[in-house]
Amino acid sequence: MPTLERTEALPALKGVPLFAGLTPQQLRRVAEVGRVKLFRAGTAIVHLGEPGDTFYVILDGHALVVRETGRPLKLHTGDFFGELALIENAPRSADVIATDDVTALAIGHSAFKKLLRSEAAFTHAILKAVVGRLRNDQRTPRWQLDNLTR
Ligand code: CMP
């Protein structure tokens, strides 16, 4: 799995919504602590049930979150994944599979936790996305509501 030069990450990071609230100095810090990795189409980047020590931001490409229940979820350029295992210290909650070639910024566990503790804008963006995902998951399909009221 090739790792590209860190300097290549900075221009790509500028367009990532997760990093929108960071100052140029904070963004440089993220580029320093991260590694740019390439995953070929079809590769499982994280595996359900395995311990996780890395957080990923997709810089280019698409991936699919495949959970034990529920439909698979598409991730696009600018989306992130792998935060749950690191925040909870728990096994990975899903497989994440590259559906085409994916370039991702990989941030290790301790650097991720340091960012969460020190950069409020980063923490807020993660929290907002996780809450959005929760809200999405809680949306009850219409047919289930119909069953309850019958
Ligand atoms: P983690 O559990 O570390 O590894 C699998 C990842 O898939 C998980 O972190 C999230 O980033 C992502 N994921 C799991 N469940 C959902 C969900 N319901 N909605 C969006 N992303 C999810």
Side-chain angles (χ1 to χ4, degrees):
M1 183 203 317
T3 303
L4 307 181
E5 289 298 318
R6 273 175 194 161
T7 46
E8 292 177 46
L10 199 51
L13 293 191
K14 286 186 180 149
V16 173
L18 176 63
F19 301 132
L22 300 190
T23 63
Q25 195 192 348
Q26 289 168 325
L27 206 57
R28 266 200 306 278
R29 178 88 198 100
V30 172
E32 275 166 23
V33 298
R35 285 156 294 140
V36 180
K37 293 192 165 187
L38 258 177
F39 297 94
R40 294 290 170 211
T43 310
I45 305 172
V46 310
H47 297 262
L48 171 76
E50 288 193 353
D53 65 355
T54 309
F55 167 75
Y56 297 93
V57 182
I58 300 178
L59 301 180
D60 190 41
H62 298 85
L64 211 53
V65 177
V66 183
R67 303 169 290 169
E68 278 184 300
T69 56
R71 62 189 167 79
L73 305 161
K74 261 193 199 151
L75 298 178
H76 305 267
T77 299
D79 288 339
F80 64 80
F81 60 92
E83 76 291 352
L84 295 183
L86 304 194
I87 291 169
E88 288 184 300
N89 271 326
R92 295 294 193 192
S93 61
D95 288 326
V96 180
I97 296 162
T99 49
D100 46 21
D101 289 353
V102 165
T103 307
L105 184 77
I107 297 177
H109 197 169
S110 62
F112 176 72
K113 289 225 159 153
K114 216 179 259 179
L115 281 173
L116 277 186
R117 277 196 298 268
S118 61
E119 314 297 350
F122 178 81
T123 312
H124 183 253
I126 295 270
L127 190 60
K128 202 170 159 198
V130 170
V131 169
R133 289 171 179 181
L134 183 67
R135 191 182 287 274
N136 230 17
D137 285 349
Q138 283 175 340
R139 233 174 252 147
T140 312
R142 199 77 234 163
W143 65 267
Q144 283 184 6
L145 287 179
D146 289 348
N147 284 349
L148 287 175
T149 51
R150 246 178 233 147

